[in-house]
Amino acid sequence: MSNRKALKGAIAAIASVATLGALAAPALADETTTYNLNGKSVAELAQHGGAQRIAAIGNGNAKNVILFIGDGMGDSEITVARDYLKGANGHFEGLDAVGQSAELGDTNAGTGQYTTPAVLESHSTERGCYGPQGKTDGSSNDALKRCLANQLKENGGIGSISEQLLDTRADVTIGGGSKYFRQTVQGGEYAGKTVWEQAKEMGYQTVENDSAAMNALEYKEGQPVLALMSDGNMPTKFNPSKATAQDPAKDANPTVCTMNDKWLGNQGSSLKDMTKKALDLLEANPASDANGYFLQVEGASIDKQDHAGNACGQIGETDDFDQAIAYAMKNVDLTNTLVIVTADHAHTSQILNAQPAYALSTVLKTADGNNMVVSYGTAEADSRDEDGGYNGGDMAHTGTQLRIAASGPGAQRVIGLTDQTDNFYTIANTLGLASTSDDQKSLSNDAKTEVKLTDGKYVAESTGFNGDAVLSYELKDKSGNVLAASDSSTPVSGVRVKTAQTTSIALDKVAEGNEYTLTVTGRQSGKTVTVDFQAPARDSSDEKPGDGKNDVIASGKVSNNPKSGVLGNTGAAITIAALAIAMLAAIAMIVKTAKISR
C-alpha cells in the first residue's frame, strides 16, 4: 500500500462522513418535503453530493489547498472589524485580497456566497466530548455527561475527539486546549496514560504552552507535530469590551480597544505565527514537494467573543485571522495553490446608526474618528465562561448566507451562490482526491488483515482500509458461536481506523489449538476481510507460543463484495443517526500532507 493512496483515502473517508453531518438538519423533516435547492426533496438532498449547486462546473488542478475558516465570521463581523481598524473606506490585507484578481496578479480568483464546512479530524455525536475524561483538565471525569457512552474506548467506542485527533495523525496540529490532553486514557492500549503521554508514545513531537519551543520546531520524518499553546481558549488580541443597555454617555465616550498583554502574539504565537510555522514544516517535508499538502486554519475565537457580546474581542480575533491570511497569500505560489477563505456560520453583531432601545450595544471609536454602534440583539445578557467565551445563555448564531472567496486554480467554483458541500468537492477534485461514494469505497479494495501472535497475545492487524474511518469485527469459533464482536449500534462505536497506519484489535478470546473465523468490516465502505485460522499449540518445550516474536498465523484480503455499513449509507435515516460531527473547539489549526499524483 502506498502512502499516497493511504493519504488519499484518509481525507476521502473523513470528508464523506462530514458530508453526512452537514445534511443532518434537513433529514429531520419528512422525506417527501421539497426544498428550494433546485426543487430537490430531502431524500435527494440526503444522498452524497445531493446538495451541490455547481456540480457541472469544472475544477482547476492545484498541488496545494489552504482553507481558512473564520468561526462565526459573517459579513457583519468582517465589516465591524474593517470599519473599526481601517475606517469605512479601509482594506484588509488578507480578507479583502483573496478573491480579488488585481491584488496579487492572480487571474484565477472569485468571490461569492454560500449556504455551513464540517470537520476533518474526528467523528463525535457530542461536541463536548473533548477527551477520555470529558471536558476537564484531568482532575475529574464528566465523560458520561459530555460523550455518548458508546463512543468511549472503555465501552468499545472509537474514542473522544482528542484521542481520534491522534489516530488521524495530521502532520501538524497547532492551537489551544492543552489542559484537555492531561486527561487519563480510560480504555485500549494506552489506558492509564495521559493523552499527552499517548501522543509521545505514538511518535509525536509535542509542545505544551511554550511559544519558544513551538518556533523551534523542525520537520522530522515520521514525527508529526502536536503543539498546544494555552490551557483552553487562547487569549484574545484585544482586552474585552462589554455590551450594555442604551446609554447616551456611551456616545460621548466611545470605546477604544486596547492590546491584551496576555495575547500570545506578544510571544511569537499569533495565528499568523502558527500559519508560518505550519507552512515551514510542510514545505520542509519531502512528501509535500512531490504530493503537495492540505492546510486548514481556523480563527476560532471570533465566534466566542461574538457570543459574549465582546466587540473588541471579536475585532482583534478578526484582525489576527486576517494577518494569517495575508501571510499565506504573500508566501505561497498562487499558480499551484488554491486559497479559500470562508466561515462556518454568521453571528449576531450588527452595525446600527444609533444605540438600540431593545438590545445591548457597544459604541466604538473607529480608525477614521467616527462613532460606530455595534448591536447584540439575540440575548438579554453577555454571559461568558472563564475563558471569555460562550457560556450557553448568551448571543446566538444567525442563519444568513456567508462570504466565500478564493484565489488560485479552481477559484471560479466559489462565484455566485454555492452550497457548503460544494466546498468539499472543490477541494477534493482540485487535489485529485476521491469525492464520489463509489470512489471512496474503492479505496478500501486492497485492505487486508493479519492475525498475529505477539508475546503470547493474539491480535488482528488491519491495513489498507483507506476508504473508512471506523471498523467493526466479529470473532467466531469453529461451531459458529460468536465469541467477541464490536458494538455496531452507533456511528461512534467500533474501532477507529488509524490513518495510514496499522489498526490493531485485541483477540483475547482466542485459545491455543482452536479454530476461528475473524471478520473485519469497514463501516463506511462495507468492504470485508475474512480470516480463518487455528491458534497454534504450545511446542514441546512448553513455552508460550509467540514469546518475543511477531508471528503471522493467518491473513486475508478484502472480498470486494461490499455491504452497507452504518456509515456506508447516505439516506435520511442514517443521516439522522450520524447527528452532528464536532471538532475540538480549542484546536485552531489542523494540517495534513494529502496530495496525490494524478
Side-chain angles (χ1 to χ4, degrees):
M1 176 188 66
S2 70
N3 287 334
R4 293 180 180 179
K5 186 168 185 180
L7 292 171
K8 176 179 178 181
I11 295 296
I14 296 169
S16 65
V17 181
T19 303
L20 287 178
L23 296 176
L28 296 176
D30 185 272
E31 289 191 25
T32 61
T33 302
T34 297
Y35 285 84
N36 291 326
L37 183 57
N38 300 323
K40 292 182 178 179
S41 68
V42 169
E44 292 172 308
L45 293 174
Q47 298 303 310
H48 179 77
Q52 294 180 81
R53 294 177 184 265
I54 55 170
I57 297 179
N59 280 87
N61 295 329
K63 183 177 180 180
N64 314 305
V65 170
I66 304 177
L67 172 64
F68 286 93
I69 301 175
D71 194 340
M73 189 186 70
D75 283 344
S76 290
E77 284 67 41
I78 296 173
T79 308
V80 165
R82 184 194 297 112
D83 283 5
Y84 176 80
L85 294 167
K86 311 291 184 180
N89 195 37
H91 180 82
F92 276 126
E93 294 181 3
L95 284 165
D96 295 333
V98 177
Q100 302 297 321
S101 58
E103 284 293 317
L104 298 171
D106 174 35
T107 57
N108 298 311
T111 302
Q113 297 284 310
Y114 87 137
T115 57
T116 103
V119 68
L120 296 175
E121 69 181 12
S122 65
H123 305 287
S124 181
T125 59
E126 309 297 326
R127 65 182 299 161
C129 190
Y130 283 16
Q133 292 179 261
K135 191 179 177 180
T136 74
D137 63 359
S139 61
S140 59
N141 191 331
D142 66 357
L144 290 178
K145 176 182 177 182
R146 302 289 186 177
C147 311
L148 184 70
N150 302 61
Q151 181 173 335
L152 300 173
K153 285 203 171 181
E154 61 266 35
N155 297 331
I158 62 178
S160 64
I161 295 169
S162 59
E163 292 170 289
Q164 291 184 59
L165 182 150
L166 299 183
D167 287 337
T168 300
R169 204 174 179 84
D171 291 310
V172 184
T173 304
I174 306 176
S178 62
K179 66 182 178 183
Y180 303 114
F181 284 67
R182 298 173 198 151
Q183 296 182 25
T184 301
V185 178
Q186 304 295 302
E189 60 184 308
Y190 296 102
K193 298 176 180 177
T194 67
V195 182
W196 277 117
E197 291 170 335
Q198 176 180 341
K200 292 174 183 176
E201 289 197 16
M202 291 178 69
Y204 281 83
Q205 297 185 66
T206 60
V207 173
E208 184 176 4
N209 299 3
D210 189 334
S211 295
M214 183 204 81
N215 284 302
L217 285 166
E218 297 181 352
Y219 168 76
K220 295 181 180 179
E221 177 67 30
Q223 297 184 51
V225 164
L226 176 64
L228 305 184
M229 307 309 297
S230 64
D231 279 354
N233 296 324
M234 290 179 284
T236 58
K237 184 172 185 176
F238 290 158
N239 289 314
S241 59
K242 184 177 178 64
T244 56
Q246 186 181 47
D247 182 356
K250 295 193 294 185
D251 294 325
N253 298 283
T255 296
V256 176
C257 302
T258 57
M259 289 292 296
N260 181 2
D261 291 339
K262 296 181 180 178
W263 179 52
L264 294 182
N266 297 324
Q267 305 169 22
S269 294
S270 67
L271 195 59
K272 172 185 174 181
D273 297 321
M274 295 179 180
T275 302
K276 179 182 184 303
K277 175 53 65 175
L279 287 170
D280 288 346
L281 290 167
L282 289 173
E283 289 167 0
N285 187 336
S288 294
D289 186 53
N291 303 327
Y293 58 79
F294 172 78
L295 164 64
Q296 178 180 310
V297 181
E298 182 191 0
S301 278
I302 302 169
D303 170 81
K304 295 179 177 67
Q305 308 318 314
D306 216 327
H307 273 303
N310 178 1
C312 284
Q314 79 183 58
I315 289 169
E317 296 310 285
T318 305
D319 186 37
D320 198 27
F321 185 58
D322 174 67
Q323 294 303 309
I325 298 168
Y327 176 85
M329 290 289 287
K330 294 174 183 177
N331 288 276
V332 299
D333 183 353
L334 290 175
T335 66
N336 67 11
T337 302
L338 173 63
V339 178
I340 302 173
V341 178
T342 190
D344 57 348
H345 58 78
H347 228 303
T348 185
S349 60
Q350 294 288 315
I351 299 175
L352 302 181
N353 66 337
Q355 295 182 49
Y358 55 85
L360 305 179
S361 66
T362 298
V363 180
L364 296 165
K365 185 175 182 180
T366 67
D368 49 16
N370 296 320
N371 281 9
M372 177 173 66
V373 178
V374 182
S375 172
Y376 297 89
T378 56
E380 295 179 358
D382 64 344
S383 58
R384 314 174 188 197
D385 63 18
E386 67 275 12
D387 294 317
Y390 179 60
N391 196 31
D394 51 358
M395 304 302 164
H397 302 165
T398 59
T400 186
Q401 62 194 37
L402 299 163
R403 178 179 186 265
I404 182 169
S407 290
Q412 79 279 359
R413 284 181 56 86
V414 308
I415 296 172
L417 181 64
T418 58
D419 186 76
Q420 67 95 6
T421 56
D422 284 305
N423 213 25
F424 161 68
Y425 290 93
T426 297
I427 294 170
N429 292 331
T430 296
L431 289 173
L433 304 178
S435 61
T436 69
S437 293
D438 288 344
D439 285 346
Q440 290 166 0
K441 291 176 182 179
S442 70
L443 294 170
S444 292
N445 281 352
D446 296 328
K448 68 176 183 179
T449 297
E450 294 181 334
V451 175
K452 294 184 176 181
L453 181 57
T454 304
D455 295 329
K457 296 181 179 179
Y458 295 92
V459 64
E461 294 186 347
S462 294
T463 56
F465 279 99
N466 299 320
D468 293 278
V470 182
L471 303 179
S472 63
Y473 71 91
E474 184 178 70
L475 179 69
K476 293 182 178 180
D477 63 16
K478 185 177 182 180
S479 300
N481 300 310
V482 177
L483 303 179
S486 59
D487 177 5
S488 298
S489 62
T490 73
V492 292
S493 54
V495 180
R496 180 70 159 86
V497 172
K498 291 188 176 181
T499 305
Q501 305 165 81
T502 298
T503 304
S504 298
I505 301 170
L507 302 178
D508 298 328
K509 299 294 184 179
V510 171
E512 62 185 62
N514 293 339
E515 297 179 17
Y516 302 92
T517 297
L518 173 69
T519 303
V520 179
T521 303
R523 296 279 295 280
Q524 281 76 29
S525 70
K527 305 291 183 176
T528 299
V529 175
T530 301
V531 183
D532 295 313
F533 67 98
Q534 181 176 20
R538 296 179 186 271
D539 60 26
S540 57
S541 63
D542 202 34
E543 294 178 356
K544 285 186 177 181
D547 275 359
K549 300 179 181 179
N550 192 24
D551 302 330
V552 177
I553 298 172
S555 63
K557 294 183 178 180
V558 162
S559 64
N560 284 318
N561 181 22
K563 57 185 179 181
S564 339
V566 169
L567 294 179
N569 294 314
T570 54
I574 299 303
T575 303
I576 294 172
L579 300 174
I581 296 177
M583 77 161 54
L584 185 60
I587 297 297
M589 185 186 322
I590 176 170
V591 297
K592 185 69 189 177
T593 301
K595 180 68 178 70
I596 52 92
S597 64
R598 291 174 175 77

